[in-house]
C-alpha cells in the first residue's frame, strides 16, 4: 500500500509535476521510461514517489524509448496499468510501438512534453512530435496549461481503460513552456482522485491462464482491412466516453472541458485556431484586441484524436476569417492543423477566408504582440472578404518574409 | 474459417485457442480440450504433403523418437505408445522416418496417393547388417 | 514446476502446447525445439515472440498454434516484453491482483538470430542487464530465413546467402559468427547455454534449468534450416548431428561463470562433413576455396581447446 501524499488546495506546479502527481494518484503499476528533455522530470518525480513509498509499482528503466513503449505494451497486455513519458526524438523512436499499442487495444497512457524534431537538434517546444504520432491510432488530449495537464492525465486512464474504448491515450503539453514553468494547480486529494480514476480491470490478460490468449497475430489482405476498420470505429466512438468523462470530471471539480474549446467565440468575427500554450497567449491577445474593437475568438481542439470534425465546423461557423496556426515544420505542405480544420469547415454554409501561420518552431517565443499582429491580418482578410496575404506565412521568423501561395496576386 | 465482416472480427485480432475456460492445461490431453476454431489444431496442412509417412505398428518399439522430433505435433502418442500419424497436421517432411531406429523401419515415406494397406502388405524385410570390410 | 523427464517415453506423455498446422516449412527445426521447450515443463508459460519465422508462422489470423499466453510486438523487443511481463507479475502479486491460475508462471522470450544477434541486441542486453526473471531462447539458424535468407551477424563465414551470394568474386559471407553466448555470459547472466534439437535430453535439461534459475537466462538453440541451409527436409536431425559432432555447435553451459561441456563426441567429425551436406556451402568445395574450410577447422579446434580450458579453469 502506498502512503497518502497530502496536497494543498492549490499547489504551485510545473506541467511535469502536474503530470507525475496525476500518475501517482492513478496508482500506475508499471512505468517504463527513458529520460529525454523536456519530459524527464515527469519520470524523475515518479521515481521519487516510488523511492519514498508514495506509489506502489515498478519503474522499468529501459535502455531506449522504443523499449519503454515495448515494455508498456507487454505489461499492459499482462494486466498492468502502465505509463511512460517522452518527447521529440524519444517519441520518434517509439513510433513503431505506438501502432502496436493501439492495434492491440491496450490503454497505455503516454505523457508527451512536446518538442521539436532534429535536425537541427533542438530541445525546446513545438508540436512536431504531436504531429508525427497523429495517425498512430491513439486518443490525443491536448492541454494549454498546467492545471489541464493534471486534469487530462487523470482522465486519460479513465477514458483509455473504459470497456468500450480500450485504447492508448496521449496527453500533450508544451515542452518547457508548460512542462518547466509553474502555475497554480488545484489538485484532488488522493482518495478522491483514486476513486475517480477507479481500479484497473485487466481484459484479456496474458496472466490469465484459464483463457490463454494470442496477442499480435498477423493479418494479411483477407483480414487486415476489417481489423483496422474496427479499430478506427473504436477510436471514432471513443468521443462519447471522452465527453462523458469530461462531464463526470466537471461534476467533481467544477472544471468544464469540451472536445473543442472555444474562447470569446460568442460574438467573434474572426478566429485563431491553435494548440498548446499559445491558447493562453491568444486569449490575452484577444482581450487586448477587443479593447481596440477587433472581435477575435479562439478555437482549439482539446481532443485532437479522434478529430472532432463536426464540432470544429460548428465552432467556426459564424466567423468571416480564420487564421490557423501550426507549430510544426510542415515539410512541404500547408500546416496539418490548417488542412484538418479547413476540411472540417468546408461543409459549413459560410465560407470564411482562411490562412495558415507557421510559428514558434523550436521554442521560438510567440508573444502577445505576434498574436495581435496575426489577428490584425485575419481581420484584414475578414474586412476584404478575401485573402490579403499569402495562404501560408511564417510568423516570428528572422530574414525576408517567407510565405507561400499568394493566391490573390497570382489570379 | 469464414471470412466475417469488420463488425465480427475479434477485437485487437486476439485469438483464444479454447472455447471455454481451461482449468489445468498442462494436465489436459488434446483429446479432452475444447479447441476453438481459432486454434490451428482446428486447421489442416494436409494439402502441403507430397509424400506421407506410413506407420507399421508391427515393427514399432515405441521409442518415441518420431514424437520428439516431429516439427508438426503430428505423431499421435498415448500413454507412451505410438498410435499413428495425425494426417491433418503432418506436412510430410520425413524426419520421423529418418529417425526411426527399427529394422525394418516402422515409418516409411510413400507417395501421398499410396494406399496404406498395400504399403503395409509389401513392407520391407529386415536388412542384414553389412559387415565392415 | 519442472518435471523430471528420464526418458523419451515419459516425455511423450506431455500434453502439447504447440499445435500443428502452423505454417513453418516441413522439416523446420524451430518447431522441434519449441515443442520440446513448451512441453518440458509444467509451468504456466507466457511467451514473448520476436518477429521471425517462428512468430510469423504460428499466429496468422484466424489461427494460433499456441496453447499458452503469447504476444508478438515487434522484431526487436521480445526480451523487453518478457522483462516487462515478469515485472508485471511481481507487481500484481504484491498488490494481490494476480489471477489464482497464474501462480507458477514462467516468462519466456523467443527470437531468431536476426532478432537476437542483430535488431534486438540492444533490447536483449538491456533486459538481461536489468535482471528481469525471464528466459530467452534464440532459435539460431544463422540467417534471416523469414525474409528470404539474408545474412545475419550469426551467419558463418563462407555461407552463401541472398545478401552474400557466392560468386566468381565472392566466397559468400565474409565475417565469422558473433559469439552471442560469450556476450551473454559477459552480462553476468546466471545461466547461459547452447543446445541442439538432436540432443533432446541435454536440450530439455537446459531449458528446465534456464526456466528454474531466477534472473535472466539465455539459451542459444542451433536450428538447422532446411530452406536456407539447403538440405532435404527429412535430414534436419542428421544435419544437427553433424553440427554437434563436428563441434560447429559445441554443447555447453555457463552457470554463474562456471563452464560445463555437456557433450563430448566420441568421434569428432571433420567440419567439412558438416559443410558438405548443406547447399549454402557447396561453393566452398570448388578448387581455390580449400583454405576457407581449413581455416574453419582451425577455428573449431581452437574454440574446443578454449572451451575445455574454460571448463577446467572455472571448475578449479
Amino acid at each position: 500500500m502506498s502512503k497518502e501524499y497530502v496536497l494543498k488546495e492549490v499547489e504551485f506546479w510545473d506541467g511535469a509535476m502536474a503530470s507525475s502527481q496525476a500518475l501517482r494518484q492513478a496508482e500506475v503499476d508499471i512505468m517504463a521510461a527513458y529520460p529525454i528533455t523536456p519530459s524527464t522530470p515527469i519520470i524523475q518525480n515518479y521515481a521519487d514517489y516510488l523511492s519514498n513509498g508514495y506509489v506502489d509499482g515498478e519503474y522499468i528503466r529501459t535502455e531506449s524509448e522504443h523499449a519503454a513503449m515495448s515494455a508498456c505494451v507487454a505489461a499492459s497486455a499482462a494486466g498492468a496499468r502502465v505509463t511512460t513519458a517522452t518527447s521529440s526524438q524519444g517519441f520518434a523512436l517509439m513510433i513503431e510501438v505506438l501502432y502496436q499499442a493501439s492495434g492491440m487495444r491496450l490503454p497505455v497512457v503516454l505523457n508527451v512534453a512536446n518538442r521539436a524534431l532534429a535536425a537541427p537538434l533542438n530541445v525546446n517546444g513545438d508540436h512536431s512530435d504531436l504531429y508525427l504520432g497523429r495517425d498512430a491510432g491513439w486518443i490525443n488530449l491536448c492541454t494549454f496549461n498546467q492545471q489541464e495537464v493534471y486534469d487530462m492525465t487523470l482522465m486519460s486512464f479513465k477514458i483509455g481503460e473504459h470497456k468500450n474504448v480500450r485504447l492508448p491515450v496521449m496527453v500533450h503539453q508544451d515542452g518547457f513552456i508548460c512542462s518547466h514553468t509553474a502555475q497554480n494547480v488545484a489538485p484532488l486529494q488522493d482518495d478522491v482522485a483514486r476513486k475517480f480514476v477507479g481500479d484497473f480491470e485487466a481484459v484479456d490478460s496474458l496472466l490469465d491462464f484459464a483463457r490463454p490468449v494470442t496477442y499480435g497475430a498477423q493479418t494479411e489482405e483477407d483480414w487486415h482491412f476489417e481489423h483496422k476498420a474496427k479499430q478506427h470505429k473504436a477510436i471514432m466512438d471513443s468521443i462519447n466516453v471522452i465527453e462523458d468523462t469530461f462531464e463526470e470530471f466537471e461534476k467533481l471539480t467544477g472544471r468544464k472541458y469540451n472536445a473543442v474549446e472555444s474562447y470569446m467565440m460568442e460574438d467573434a468575427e474572426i478566429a485563431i485556431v491553435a494548440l498548446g500554450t499559445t491558447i493562453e497567449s491568444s486569449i490575452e491577445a484577444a482581450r487586448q484586441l477587443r479593447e481596440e474593437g477587433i472581435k477575435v475568438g479562439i478555437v482549439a481542439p482539446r481532443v485532437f484524436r479522434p478529430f472532432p470534425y463536426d464540432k470544429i465546423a460548428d465552432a467556426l461557423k459564424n466567423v468571416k476569417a480564420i487564421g490557423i496556426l501550426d507549430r510544426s515544420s510542415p515539410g512541404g505542405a500547408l500546416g496539418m492543423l490548417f488542412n484538418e480544420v479547413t476540411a472540417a469547415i468546408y461543409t459549413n454554409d459560410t465560407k470564411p477566408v482562411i490562412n495558415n501561420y507557421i510559428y514558434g518552431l523550436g521554442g521560438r517565443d510567440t508573444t502577445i504582440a505576434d498574436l495581435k499582429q496575426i489577428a490584425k491580418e485575419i481581420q484584414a482578410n475578414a474586412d476584404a472578404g478575401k485573402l490579403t496575404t499569402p495562404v501560408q506565412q511564417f510568423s516570428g521568423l528572422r530574414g525576408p518574409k517567407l510565405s507561400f501561395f499568394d493566391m490573390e496576386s497570382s489570379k | 474459417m469464414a471470412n466475417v465482416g469488420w463488425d465480427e472480427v475479434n477485437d485487437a485480432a486476439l485469438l483464444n485457442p479454447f472455447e471455454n475456460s481451461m482449468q489445468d492445461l498442462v494436465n489436459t490431453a488434446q483429446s479432452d480440450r475444447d479447441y476453438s476454431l481459432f486454434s490451428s489444431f482446428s486447421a489442416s496442412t494436409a494439402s502441403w504433403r507430397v509424400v506421407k509417412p506410413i506407420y507399421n505398428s508391427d515393427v514399432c518399439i515405441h521409442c518415441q523418437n518420431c514424437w520428439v522430433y516431429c516439427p508438426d505435433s503430428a505423431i499421435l502418442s498415448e500413454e507412451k505408445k505410438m498410435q499413428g500419424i495425425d494426417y491433418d497436421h503432418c506436412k510430410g517432411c520425413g524426419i520421423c522416418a529418418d529417425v526411426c531406429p527399427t529394422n525394418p523401419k516402422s515409418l516409411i515415406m510413400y507417395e501421398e496417393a499410396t494406399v496404406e494397406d498395400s504399403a503395409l502388405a509389401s513392407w520391407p524385410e529386415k536388412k542384414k547388417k553389412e559387415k565392415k570390410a | 514446476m519442472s518435471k523430471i523427464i528420464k526418458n523419451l517415453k515419459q516425455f511423450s506423455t506431455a500434453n502439447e502446447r504447440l499445435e500443428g498446422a502452423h505454417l513453418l516449412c516441413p522439416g523446420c527445426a524451430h518447431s522441434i525445439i519449441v515443442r520440446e521447450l513448451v512441453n518440458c515443463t509444467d509451468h504456466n508459460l507466457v511467451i514473448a515472440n520476436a518477429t521471425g519465422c517462428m512468430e510469423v508462422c504460428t499466429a496468422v489470423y484466424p489461427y494460433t498454434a499456441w496453447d499458452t499466453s503469447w504476444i508478438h510486438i515487434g522484431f526487436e523487443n521480445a526480451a523487453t516484453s518478457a522483462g516487462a511481463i515478469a515485472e508485471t507479475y511481481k507487481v500484481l502479486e504484491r498488490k494481490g491482483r494476480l489471477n489464482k491460475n497464474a501462480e507458477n508462471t514462467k516468462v519466456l522470450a523467443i527470437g531468431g538470430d536476426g532478432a537476437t544477434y542483430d535488431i534486438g541486441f540492444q533490447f536483449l542486453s538491456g533486459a538481461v542487464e536489468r535482471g528481469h526473471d525471464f528466459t530467452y531462447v534464440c532459435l539460431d539458424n544463422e540467417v534471416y530465413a523469414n525474409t528470404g535468407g539474408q545474412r545475419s551477424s550469426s551467419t558463418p563465414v563462407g555461407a552463401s546467402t541472398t545478401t552474400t551470394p557466392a560468386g566468381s568474386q565472392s566466397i559468400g559471407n565474409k565475417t565469422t559468427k558473433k559469439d552471442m553466448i560469450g556476450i551473454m555470459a559477459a552480462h553476468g547472466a546466471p545461466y547461459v547455454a547452447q543446445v541442439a534439437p538432436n540432443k533432446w535430453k541435454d536440450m530439455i535439461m537446459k531449458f528446465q534449468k534456464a526456466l528454474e534459475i531466477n534472473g535472466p537466462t539465455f539459451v542459444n538453440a542451433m536450428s538447422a534450416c532446411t530452406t536456407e541451409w539447403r538440405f532435404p527436409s527429412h535430414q534436419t536431425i542428421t544435419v544437427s548431428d553433424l553440427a554437434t559432432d563436428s563441434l560447429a555447435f559445441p554443447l555447453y553451459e555457463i552457470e554463474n561463470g562456471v563452464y560445463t561441456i555437456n557433450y563430448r563426441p566420441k568421434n569428432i567429425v571433420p567440419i567439412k562433413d558438416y559443410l558438405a551436406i548443406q547447399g549454402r556451402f557447396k561453393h566452398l568445395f570448388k578448387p581455390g576455396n580449400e583454405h576457407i574450410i581449413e581455416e574453419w577447422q582451425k577455428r573449431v579446434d581452437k574454440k574446443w581447446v578454449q572451451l575445455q580450458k574454460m571448463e577446467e579453469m572455472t571448475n578449479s
Side-chain angles (χ1 to χ4, degrees):
Chain A
M1 242 337 249
S2 47
K3 287 192 283 188
E4 196 187 345
Y5 195 116
V6 181
L7 297 167
K8 293 197 280 280
E9 201 172 317
V10 177
E11 295 276 355
F12 189 58
W13 285 345
D14 62 24
M17 179 59 81
S19 148
S20 28
Q21 287 281 4
L23 299 179
R24 182 187 60 75
Q25 292 184 322
E27 298 185 289
V28 165
D29 298 310
I30 299 272
M31 166 175 276
Y34 189 82
I36 183 168
T37 304
S39 68
T40 309
I42 299 173
I43 61 174
Q44 285 174 344
N45 295 338
Y46 180 86
D48 201 38
Y49 304 143
L50 206 56
S51 289
N52 291 290
Y54 290 110
V55 69
D56 184 4
E58 291 291 332
Y59 171 14
I60 307 176
R61 295 156 187 91
T62 55
E63 75 291 342
S64 74
E65 288 88 352
H66 191 294
M69 186 48 67
S70 303
C72 284
V73 168
S76 183
R81 177 175 281 163
V82 304
T83 197
T84 186
T86 197
S87 299
S88 180
Q89 312 302 126
F91 185 93
L93 193 54
M94 276 184 186
I95 286 281
E96 182 196 11
V97 201
L98 295 182
Y99 282 76
Q100 306 276 9
S102 57
M104 294 188 210
R105 304 283 300 273
L106 297 168
V108 179
V109 166
L110 167 61
N111 267 270
V112 190
N114 297 125
R115 168 184 148 182
L117 283 165
L121 188 64
N122 177 291
V123 298
N124 281 291
D126 74 24
H127 296 146
S128 301
D129 45 15
L130 189 163
Y131 284 22
L132 181 62
R134 70 177 193 262
D135 290 345
W138 287 52
I139 292 171
N140 280 240
L141 304 176
C142 297
T143 67
F144 317 141
N145 61 37
Q146 294 76 357
Q147 178 72 61
E148 295 174 6
V149 171
Y150 172 79
D151 293 351
M152 289 301 143
T153 304
L154 265 190
M155 283 191 274
S156 64
F157 291 97
K158 206 172 168 64
I159 292 165
E161 293 167 11
H162 191 282
K163 65 177 172 22
N164 296 342
V165 178
R166 302 288 308 169
L167 283 168
V169 186
M170 287 179 209
V171 178
H172 296 280
Q173 61 178 298
D174 279 2
F176 284 110
I177 310 171
C178 183
S179 66
H180 285 61
T181 61
Q183 286 193 14
N184 286 351
V185 176
L188 299 172
Q189 289 305 323
D190 284 5
D191 54 340
V192 180
R194 281 173 191 167
K195 198 175 161 211
F196 173 76
V197 176
D199 291 337
F200 183 80
E201 279 177 45
V203 177
D204 297 312
S205 164
L206 288 168
L207 289 171
D208 179 5
F209 292 95
R211 209 160 161 269
V213 61
T214 289
Y215 268 89
Q218 188 178 10
T219 60
E220 282 310 329
E221 70 282 5
D222 47 352
W223 290 103
H224 191 75
F225 197 4
E226 282 70 25
H227 283 289
K228 293 315 275 188
K230 194 170 191 187
Q231 186 192 331
H232 178 64
K233 176 133 184 358
I235 190 168
M236 291 304 252
D237 288 351
S238 73
I239 193 70
N240 300 317
V241 171
I242 295 169
E243 290 185 325
D244 289 350
T245 309
F246 285 174
E247 210 178 304
E248 200 181 323
F249 192 76
E250 187 194 352
K251 281 180 193 148
L252 187 68
T253 64
R255 293 192 287 273
K256 183 172 169 55
Y257 292 109
N258 303 285
V260 175
E261 303 290 4
S262 298
Y263 306 95
M264 294 179 255
M265 283 299 290
E266 298 77 14
D267 61 343
E269 272 185 23
I270 61 164
I272 287 175
V273 183
L275 290 167
T277 49
T278 307
I279 301 305
E280 287 208 329
S281 308
S282 300
I283 291 169
E284 183 51 33
R287 280 197 194 110
Q288 294 180 20
L289 285 168
R290 279 171 173 261
E291 285 171 14
E292 297 173 30
I294 297 175
K295 286 184 183 170
V296 56
I298 295 111
V299 169
R302 166 79 58 205
V303 181
F304 176 62
R305 286 291 184 273
F307 188 70
Y309 183 86
D310 49 350
K311 295 180 177 75
I312 290 275
D314 188 60
L316 294 165
K317 66 177 186 288
N318 293 325
V319 290
K320 292 179 184 158
I322 309 166
I324 302 161
L325 279 57
D326 281 279
R327 195 169 200 162
S328 173
S329 177
L334 289 157
M336 187 270 300
L337 193 62
F338 174 87
N339 285 339
E340 296 201 352
V341 170
T342 303
I345 60 173
Y346 185 75
T347 52
N348 285 343
D349 294 334
T350 51
K351 288 282 171 274
V353 187
I354 47 172
N355 65 338
N356 181 212
Y357 293 92
I358 305 300
Y359 77 104
L361 302 192
R364 173 63 48 83
D365 200 13
T366 302
T367 63
I368 305 291
D370 293 334
L371 291 160
K372 280 165 82 173
Q373 174 60 30
I374 284 171
K376 282 176 181 171
E377 288 180 13
I378 302 168
Q379 185 64 51
N381 285 346
D383 294 343
K386 61 177 185 179
L387 280 167
T388 59
T389 64
V391 178
Q392 184 178 62
Q393 301 181 81
F394 278 58
S395 166
L397 178 73
R398 285 193 304 276
K401 178 89 183 161
L402 187 62
S403 64
F404 301 92
F405 301 115
D406 192 349
M407 309 299 274
E408 287 302 316
S409 68
S410 62
K411 267 180 188 168
Chain B
M1 173 120 213
N3 284 357
V4 296
W6 69 267
D7 52 330
E8 288 183 65
V9 294
N10 298 356
D11 276 342
L14 300 188
L15 296 164
N16 294 107
F18 306 114
E19 276 298 331
N20 300 308
S21 84
M22 175 59 77
Q23 288 317 319
D24 187 10
L25 179 75
V26 288
N27 292 312
T28 308
Q30 283 175 305
S31 51
D32 296 328
R33 293 177 183 173
D34 195 6
Y35 285 106
S36 75
L37 288 174
F38 299 109
S39 170
S40 70
F41 184 80
S42 314
S44 173
T45 41
S47 64
W48 291 32
R49 267 196 316 272
V50 180
V51 289
K52 66 178 177 188
I54 290 179
Y55 171 59
N56 186 333
S57 59
D58 294 343
V59 205
C60 179
I61 56 168
H62 305 283
C63 69
Q64 305 293 341
N65 266 357
C66 54
W67 177 83
V68 79
Y69 294 127
C70 176
D72 294 301
S73 318
I75 300 294
L76 301 169
S77 181
E78 264 173 44
E79 291 173 1
K80 305 180 182 179
K81 297 267 188 251
M82 161 70 167
Q83 305 288 323
I85 311 291
D86 170 358
Y87 287 112
D88 285 337
H89 299 139
C90 171
K91 293 171 187 157
C93 69
I95 289 177
C96 55
D98 231 46
V99 298
C100 180
T102 60
N103 184 4
K105 283 185 181 288
S106 324
L107 286 156
I108 296 176
M109 301 307 287
Y110 286 90
E111 291 295 317
E112 179 63 18
T114 309
V115 177
E116 192 172 320
D117 288 346
S118 67
L120 289 173
S122 55
W123 205 257
E125 292 296 311
K126 184 173 179 172
K127 270 188 203 162
K128 281 181 187 164
K129 272 190 181 171
E130 285 173 31
K131 279 184 186 168
K132 279 176 189 168
Chain C
M1 278 199 298
S2 277
K3 48 191 174 190
I4 298 155
I5 297 169
K6 290 180 192 151
N7 54 48
L8 256 190
K9 285 197 180 198
Q10 189 194 349
F11 192 17
S12 72
T13 61
N15 297 308
E16 279 295 343
R17 278 194 274 184
L18 178 71
E19 299 296 345
H22 51 66
L23 307 178
L24 289 160
C25 300
C28 179
H30 275 18
S31 42
I32 303 175
I33 296 161
V34 174
R35 271 190 67 223
E36 296 188 36
L37 171 62
V38 296
N39 293 335
C40 78
T41 175
D42 283 345
H43 288 291
N44 285 314
L45 295 172
V46 187
I47 300 172
N49 208 146
T51 308
C53 290
M54 193 67 210
E55 167 272 322
V56 105
C57 295
T58 54
V60 180
Y61 197 91
Y63 299 115
T64 177
W66 300 93
D67 290 339
T68 192
S69 299
W70 185 90
I71 185 167
H72 159 247
I73 304 177
F75 201 167
E76 59 292 86
N77 50 18
T80 315
S81 309
I85 293 162
E87 294 305 307
T88 301
Y89 184 93
K90 220 161 75 182
V91 177
L92 297 186
E93 193 177 37
R94 196 167 66 220
K95 290 186 167 180
R97 276 164 47 205
L98 192 68
N99 281 311
K100 188 106 187 79
N101 64 37
E103 285 167 6
N104 186 28
T105 294
K106 293 288 177 188
V107 187
L108 261 172
I110 297 174
D113 49 292
T116 308
Y117 287 60
D118 295 339
I119 198 168
F121 185 66
Q122 169 187 312
F123 297 73
L124 176 59
S125 175
V128 171
E129 170 273 319
R130 289 191 296 273
H132 306 299
D133 185 14
F134 75 109
T135 295
Y136 192 104
V137 175
C138 173
L139 302 171
D140 179 13
N141 59 14
E142 305 188 320
V143 71
Y144 299 160
N146 183 44
T147 45
Q150 300 84 19
R151 69 80 77 175
S152 77
S153 64
S154 173
T155 303
V157 75
S160 184
T161 73
T162 53
T163 49
T164 59
S168 62
Q169 305 299 310
S170 174
I171 53 117
N173 188 46
K174 290 178 180 63
T175 52
T176 51
K177 185 182 172 82
K178 190 171 177 176
D179 178 12
M180 199 63 191
I181 297 165
I183 293 167
M184 284 296 107
H187 276 72
Y191 186 74
V192 178
Q194 180 148 268
V195 299
N198 51 314
K199 302 293 178 195
W200 69 268
K201 203 168 182 179
D202 176 71
M203 187 161 80
I204 64 167
M205 178 273 286
K206 287 172 178 165
F207 284 154
Q208 289 181 338
K209 218 171 187 179
L211 289 167
E212 282 299 334
I213 289 173
N214 210 359
T217 55
F218 178 85
V219 181
N220 195 64
M222 192 279 296
S223 186
C225 177
T226 159
T227 306
E228 300 302 340
W229 294 15
R230 284 169 254 156
F231 60 81
S233 67
H234 65 89
Q235 285 187 336
T236 304
I237 299 303
T238 311
V239 172
S240 305
D241 280 339
L242 286 165
T244 52
D245 289 1
S246 67
L247 299 171
F249 279 87
L251 302 181
Y252 64 106
E253 62 188 347
I254 310 167
E255 193 174 347
N256 293 316
V258 178
Y259 280 64
T260 305
I261 294 170
N262 310 98
Y263 175 62
R264 289 179 161 79
K266 277 187 199 127
N267 301 306
I268 297 174
V269 172
I271 200 78
K272 70 171 168 43
D273 293 3
Y274 165 64
L275 306 182
I277 196 170
Q278 304 173 54
R280 63 176 172 155
F281 298 121
K282 197 175 164 189
H283 57 286
L284 297 185
F285 293 88
K286 283 184 186 158
N289 286 338
E290 297 85 354
H291 66 286
I292 309 281
I293 300 177
E294 283 161 22
E295 284 160 16
W296 195 326
Q297 186 65 60
K298 279 180 197 158
R299 272 198 309 278
V300 166
D301 295 345
K302 195 175 156 194
K303 175 80 183 172
W304 187 233
V305 171
Q306 273 176 353
L307 273 179
Q308 293 177 88
K309 278 185 181 163
M310 287 304 285
E311 186 182 41
E312 201 184 306
M313 205 171 78
T314 55
N315 280 283
S316 61

